[in-house]
Amino acid sequence: MLNGKKIVLGVCGSIAAYKAATLVRLLVKAGAEVQVIMTADAVSFITPLTLSTLSKKPVLVNYFEPTTGVWNNHVELGLWADMFLIAPASANTLAKMANGQCDNLLTAAYLSAKCPVYFAPAMDLDMWRHPATLNNVQRLQSYGNILIQPGTGELASGLHGEGRMAEPEEIVDLLISAVNDTFPLKGKKIMVTAGPTHEAIDPVRFIGNHSSGKMGFAIAEELAKQGATVTLISGPSAQAVNHPGITRIDVTSAAEMLDACLTNFETVDACVMSAAVADYTPVEVATQKIKKQTDSFNIELKKTTDILRTLGERKSPGQVLIGFALETQNEEQNAVDKLRKKNLDLIILNSLNDAGAGFALDTNKITMIDKDLVYTTFDIKSKTEVAADICRELIKLMA
Ligand code: CTP
């Protein structure tokens, strides 16, 4: 649990501030000592009285408290904390944090904190998607701060989409898994690829495949449950992320997936590459819709970069690389060739000849082949159970 952990909870001006009451209650119940710092705007959404009653500590808002004559020392607050959590984190506070601005007690205490910092954004869909916000989030991650991914659903504006603050229960689970040594992947960063890629032909058409992303998303969820911080790079997929320990990066093409993988690869301990990446992409993408004219029509294609092979060439000692092989013939030989060619530690073979294996299904049937050519064959299982098997094997490889 969070016994004895000192947590600064920063609450910003967002409608999701109402969730701060449940959050404080759950943190206290888990054994944490909670010091709430609110921004001036947060006070309009939920009263300090509510949060101070639940946290059993006066809530701090200003550097100087005129009623008591007390000066709140931001440096002491920053150093006192074992964990610093900002939830809800508004776009404005994220921007200040990313730029080192400290015009209020919360952002000044943040700048003084030496402990792990978690932030749970809450804002409207368009604010969340704005390049300025995305840049700020990336910058905070580059400082080592941990994003608690917002959820998708109905937003206070009436719009539907991403931007909802993660639920208090999920946030507390994440903090517990971060401090709890019994989670085998605690402190590990893992990158997962999932889904298909779409290679544009013209503004309305693309070359794609039937991958649904179900396997990769199930793997990401399982790794996060085991305590890992997961970066999930997904091609177009209708799957949703549930665990707040997963940061989702959406891409469309093989080239975009390559870029996202290269950006993240150096800092991760392991990769599980389950995406069905296009092997070929059109040489030219028409800028206008191609009109139907001739009876036959050819599209010239060029090879995409093999992302997994590129990572295999760059792999540093200690990094674990797991790939997939979806085969229809010579399954085992093809999988072993890929294992060798791509410098993998493990390859997960699924054969389309096995009933219950393949795209879009909720089940899969796999054989794992490791570097020493040890084969482990599993029964047909749900993709969640298959993800747990893969996760167990990864934990062994990382030990
Ligand atoms: N892969 C990749 N980048 C590509 C193609 C494949 O990272 N451009 C990865 C997949 O994510 C998977 C593994 O390589 O983990 C094997 O993919 P697969 O499509 O089975 O094999 P290919 O190497 O593309 O070979 P082929 O299509 O000829 O079977």
Side-chain angles (χ1 to χ4, degrees), residues 273-275 277-279 304-308 323-327 338 342:
M273 308 287 283
S274 72
V277 186
D279 290 330
T304 57
T305 304
D306 189 321
I307 304 170
L308 187 51
F324 274 70
L326 178 64
E327 304 294 342
K338 284 176 191 174
K342 304 191 190 205

Side-chain angles (χ1 to χ4, degrees), residues 247-279:
T247 301
R248 174 177 181 165
I249 300 174
D250 285 313
V251 296
T252 304
S253 64
E256 286 173 15
M257 189 171 274
L258 172 69
D259 279 352
C261 287
L262 291 179
T263 305
N264 287 280
F265 184 58
E266 257 180 42
T267 60
V268 299
D269 301 290
C271 299
V272 185
M273 308 287 283
S274 72
V277 186
D279 290 330

Side-chain angles (χ1 to χ4, degrees), residues 174-197:
L174 179 79
L175 299 193
I176 291 174
S177 66
V179 297
N180 196 325
D181 280 325
T182 61
F183 286 91
L185 292 174
K186 182 193 159 226
K188 299 290 180 200
K189 287 187 180 168
I190 303 182
M191 180 164 88
V192 177
T193 63
T197 65

Side-chain angles (χ1 to χ4, degrees), residues 267-317:
T267 60
V268 299
D269 301 290
C271 299
V272 185
M273 308 287 283
S274 72
V277 186
D279 290 330
Y280 291 91
T281 192
V283 172
E284 275 177 32
V285 181
T287 52
Q288 303 297 328
K289 185 183 171 205
I290 299 170
K291 301 301 284 179
K292 139 177 105 227
Q293 281 163 346
T294 48
D295 282 349
S296 66
F297 179 71
N298 293 315
I299 300 172
E300 195 186 345
L301 303 176
K302 61 179 182 200
K303 245 192 198 167
T304 57
T305 304
D306 189 321
I307 304 170
L308 187 51
R309 190 171 181 164
T310 308
L311 300 187
E313 284 160 6
R314 296 177 180 211
K315 189 168 81 164
S316 49

